[in-house]
Amino acid sequence: MECTGIREFLSAYMDNALDQDTCRLVEEHIAECKHCEIELLVLRRASEQLGALETVRAPGDFLEKLHRRVEKTSFFDRIRRALFVPAKIKVPLELAGVLATAVLVISIVLNNKAPEVMKDAGDVSSFSRTARLHQKQAPASEPVAEETKATRFHTAPPKPAIPGQGLALDSSEAEIRERAHYAEPVLEAARRPEMPAVAEHEEEPIELVLVLKKDRRDRGISAGSAGEAPKPALRCKERVGAAEKDEGVQDIRVLKKSEAKGKKDLLLPPAESIYAELKQVVESSGGRIISVQQDTEKNRTEYLAASIPPGNFSNLVNELRRLGTLQKNPSEMDQGRETVRVRIVISHE
Amino acid sequence: MKALDRTETSLEDDAMLVRAFQAGNKASFDELVLRHKDRIFNLCYRFLGDYEEANDCAQEAFVKAFRSAAAFRFESAFATWLYRIAVNTCKNRLRSLSYRLRKRMLRLGEPESENDLGACDPPDGAPGPATKLECKESETLIQKAIEMLPADQRAVILLRHLDGLSYEDIVAITGYNVGTVKSKLSRARNHLKDSLKEVI
């Protein structure tokens, strides 16, 4: 064996910690190798130096200081043991306790903030009251289409308006502006979300079926009559019949009625006269016409929708009775209403 | 080489004292401290190379033993168990930041010769056994050579040469197997040999 290998065993050889075979090998090599023999010698001398070190004794007050140290650490050790021993049981419980305390504190803090939120809610209720007031003050909107649940007597269901087929009815420019004036606040109310527009069918219109007197039916346009030939005031999208010459047609929705089958053609006066008289009746009752349905083929007014103050409803009924017979006696009006919508169905038979 | 008192009488005495302590006799532990404090202190001093650090480390080892003595199961000798605590405490102290900083300050702040003299002065100012020993130049060199060893080699070589412990005792104290003990001891001795050429 070479010196490198032998020197690895010298330390154990010094301590008699080698097996017999290895020990013999080392001894044989040392006997022959001066370098390894010196190496062994140096190792032994170094070890002896360590062994020659004097024992450094502990200070005289070692035990006393130890007592103080034990007492001091015992206090903290007791606390540590109380809190964390056994760790598998106490630590999870303590963590759960800390979490529960944190949740409780957070909930208390949030509850203290809740009344501030509730105070703001009071303003919302006053705001809604304001909205209702605005709602009442807004004038009745012009219905887009006639939708009513009221019983119909001799009328066909209303058809959607066909724009532009306006008949030159009441062409008063002032009246048109007045109606536009009525319409504007309604449109504004419709746009404002907090003040919803009054629904058209919120108040069901009162349907009055007026059977015209024969003389009324056959009456033509008479000079000096209350009714006036309607003059076009606004430009119309579509031109209808004789109204082509006119510059504009009043923007009142006109519902075209389909042909009634099997009806006898009567010599009926122009619709303008009947309409004019009805218009006068409505306006004398403090109301206004909302829409008119006309049969353009027969040139007569089928029905007319208007809104009037409830207090003038009886006056309206009386005036209508001058023109004809009401098939059904209208019921008493609810004086609490701001306006009453009526639908006057004209029966020409 | 000073051999540890490992007679059966000594071992039986230790066991008896431990049992008495476990039964509630606090004075028994004091007796155990008095029997082993010098060996433990010496080991800590040679391990750390500083009197104050050794005192603190030895105290800490006995405190640990005091706390754990109630659970001692007599699977090994009390002395072996106590040595194990002391070696581990010293290793932990070597790794501590405060110790390393303190050593660095001593090396930078004082010249070598003064450092040796400083290490010879005990804290109370009066010359004690540590003072005489540390003032010997050879011992200083040897001590420095020991401090240059890594912690595992330091532990093995000190246990072997300070207390004359057998390989089996060293195995029980350090937890290394026999082959590892032999290997570490060989390397430590070779390092010391190289460091102590002047002395040798």
Side-chain angles (χ1 to χ4, degrees):
Chain A
M1 189 179 286
E2 294 182 358
C3 295
T4 307
I6 291 296
R7 288 178 186 178
E8 289 180 2
F9 295 116
L10 291 179
S11 174
Y13 177 76
M14 283 170 48
D15 296 330
N16 297 319
L18 292 176
D19 59 278
Q20 287 185 354
D21 294 334
T22 309
C23 186
R24 188 172 64 251
L25 279 173
V26 172
E27 288 175 346
E28 288 174 357
H29 181 85
I30 290 171
E32 296 172 356
C33 179
K34 280 289 183 183
H35 294 287
C36 290
E37 184 182 1
I38 294 170
E39 189 72 17
L40 178 62
L41 184 63
V42 170
L43 277 176
R44 283 196 172 145
R45 291 288 296 276
S47 299
E48 288 170 1
Q49 293 290 330
L50 285 176
L53 290 173
E54 291 289 331
T55 301
V56 178
R57 295 183 178 276
D61 58 350
F62 185 87
L63 185 59
E64 182 183 342
K65 287 185 178 178
L66 180 62
H67 285 163
R68 285 201 292 268
R69 195 161 180 161
V70 166
E71 288 172 3
K72 182 181 176 183
T73 55
S74 294
F75 172 74
F76 294 105
D77 186 58
R78 281 198 298 270
I79 293 174
R80 181 185 66 84
R81 286 176 183 275
L83 289 177
F84 302 112
V85 178
K88 289 183 180 179
I89 297 172
K90 290 193 178 179
V91 171
L93 286 175
E94 288 164 1
L95 283 175
V98 169
L99 284 172
T101 305
V103 168
L104 185 63
V105 169
I106 290 169
S107 63
I108 290 171
V109 170
L110 290 176
N111 284 336
N112 287 336
K113 288 185 180 178
E116 297 177 2
V117 175
M118 293 302 294
K119 286 178 187 175
D120 295 337
D123 297 330
V124 174
S125 61
S126 63
F127 186 74
S128 63
R129 283 200 298 274
T130 306
R132 286 197 289 274
L133 281 174
H134 281 285
Q135 192 172 333
K136 285 183 180 178
Q137 290 169 2
S141 60
E142 296 187 356
V144 175
E146 285 291 340
E147 288 180 340
T148 174
K149 296 179 183 176
T151 55
R152 294 186 176 89
F153 290 97
H154 297 281
T155 59
K159 300 275 172 68
I162 300 173
Q165 287 220 342
L167 199 62
L169 300 172
D170 188 346
S171 58
S172 165
E173 188 172 356
E175 185 176 340
I176 292 166
R177 286 183 187 149
E178 183 183 7
R179 291 187 185 185
H181 175 71
Y182 276 117
E184 283 173 6
V186 172
L187 292 174
E188 288 177 1
R191 290 192 202 104
R192 279 173 287 182
E194 63 273 17
M195 290 192 289
V198 177
E200 292 180 357
H201 49 273
E202 183 179 11
E203 297 177 359
E204 293 183 2
I206 300 168
E207 190 165 286
L208 304 172
V209 180
L210 177 66
V211 181
L212 292 175
K213 295 178 179 177
K214 283 190 179 179
D215 56 340
R216 294 271 180 196
R217 294 178 211 165
D218 296 334
R219 190 194 300 176
I221 297 176
S222 58
S225 65
E228 297 177 356
K231 296 175 183 176
L234 300 175
R235 194 162 286 279
C236 180
K237 289 184 181 178
E238 293 182 24
R239 297 179 176 178
V240 181
E244 286 185 0
K245 285 191 251 184
D246 299 326
E247 292 296 322
V249 178
Q250 185 174 1
D251 188 19
I252 293 178
R253 296 185 182 277
V254 175
L255 307 174
K256 180 181 180 181
K257 184 183 174 185
S258 58
E259 289 185 5
K261 294 182 181 178
K263 288 193 176 178
K264 185 178 180 183
D265 279 337
L266 298 175
L267 289 176
L268 297 174
E272 290 83 354
S273 63
I274 302 301
Y275 172 78
E277 290 193 83
L278 290 172
K279 176 175 177 297
Q280 186 182 9
V281 167
V282 169
E283 289 177 352
S284 67
S285 300
R288 62 186 181 91
I289 294 174
I290 297 171
S291 64
V292 177
Q293 176 168 330
Q294 297 226 335
D295 188 344
T296 54
E297 290 181 2
K298 296 182 179 179
N299 198 24
R300 62 186 185 187
T301 302
E302 295 293 328
Y303 69 85
L304 177 148
S307 65
I308 60 169
N312 296 341
F313 182 77
S314 57
N315 181 59
L316 175 73
V317 169
N318 293 333
E319 290 295 320
L320 288 175
R321 283 179 175 146
R322 286 195 306 105
L323 301 176
T325 307
L326 292 175
Q327 282 193 342
K328 185 180 178 183
N329 289 328
S331 59
E332 292 294 328
M333 287 298 100
D334 182 7
Q335 297 298 325
R337 292 185 179 180
E338 291 184 1
T339 58
V340 173
R341 291 178 59 204
V342 294
R343 186 161 176 251
I344 304 170
V345 179
I346 313 301
S347 175
H348 298 274
E349 296 177 5
Chain B
M1 188 186 310
K2 290 175 279 296
L4 184 65
D5 186 3
R6 305 282 294 170
T7 59
E8 288 189 5
T9 307
S10 174
L11 294 175
E12 287 176 359
D13 290 343
D14 285 349
M16 186 176 64
L17 289 169
V18 172
R19 287 195 181 91
F21 176 72
Q22 289 175 342
N25 186 355
K26 302 291 184 191
S28 301
F29 192 83
D30 292 349
E31 184 61 31
L32 288 168
V33 172
L34 294 172
R35 289 164 64 91
H36 297 285
K37 67 181 177 64
D38 290 331
R39 277 194 287 270
I40 296 299
F41 188 92
N42 186 54
L43 174 65
C44 293
Y45 179 80
R46 296 301 175 190
F47 206 107
L48 300 172
D50 185 85
Y51 193 89
E52 282 297 322
E53 293 283 349
N55 192 20
D56 189 67
C57 209
Q59 295 261 336
E60 190 175 334
F62 277 105
V63 169
K64 290 179 182 178
F66 178 85
R67 290 203 203 113
S68 306
F72 184 67
R73 293 190 293 268
F74 302 94
E75 293 174 354
S76 63
F78 175 79
T80 303
W81 180 66
L82 187 60
Y83 267 97
R84 188 185 309 138
I85 294 173
V87 167
N88 289 334
T89 305
C90 290
K91 284 182 177 179
N92 292 336
R93 185 61 60 92
L94 278 183
R95 286 192 290 264
S96 71
L97 180 62
S98 60
Y99 173 82
R100 285 185 272 129
L101 286 173
R102 187 162 177 268
K103 286 299 239 185
R104 189 178 299 173
M105 285 171 60
L106 285 172
R107 283 196 296 271
L108 294 174
E110 299 172 4
E112 193 171 330
S113 57
E114 291 181 4
N115 192 20
D116 296 337
L117 292 173
C120 292
D121 297 330
D124 57 357
T131 306
K132 287 195 290 186
L133 292 169
E134 289 174 358
C135 290
K136 291 180 179 179
E137 185 176 343
S138 60
E139 287 195 2
T140 304
L141 289 172
I142 294 170
Q143 182 62 42
K144 283 186 177 179
I146 293 171
E147 291 174 24
M148 292 177 67
L149 295 173
D152 52 346
Q153 293 179 16
R154 201 183 303 189
V156 170
I157 199 164
L158 288 175
L159 291 171
R160 176 66 182 165
H161 290 282
L162 288 185
D163 295 308
L165 297 179
S166 65
Y167 280 25
E168 289 73 23
D169 289 337
I170 296 172
V171 165
I173 291 170
T174 60
Y176 303 138
N177 56 37
V178 177
T180 304
V181 171
K182 289 181 182 178
S183 172
K184 289 183 185 296
L185 197 56
S186 174
R187 278 194 238 121
R189 284 168 171 166
N190 282 310
H191 281 146
L192 280 175
K193 177 199 69 173
D194 295 335
S195 301
L196 297 174
K197 282 180 182 176
E198 298 175 9
V199 178
I200 296 170

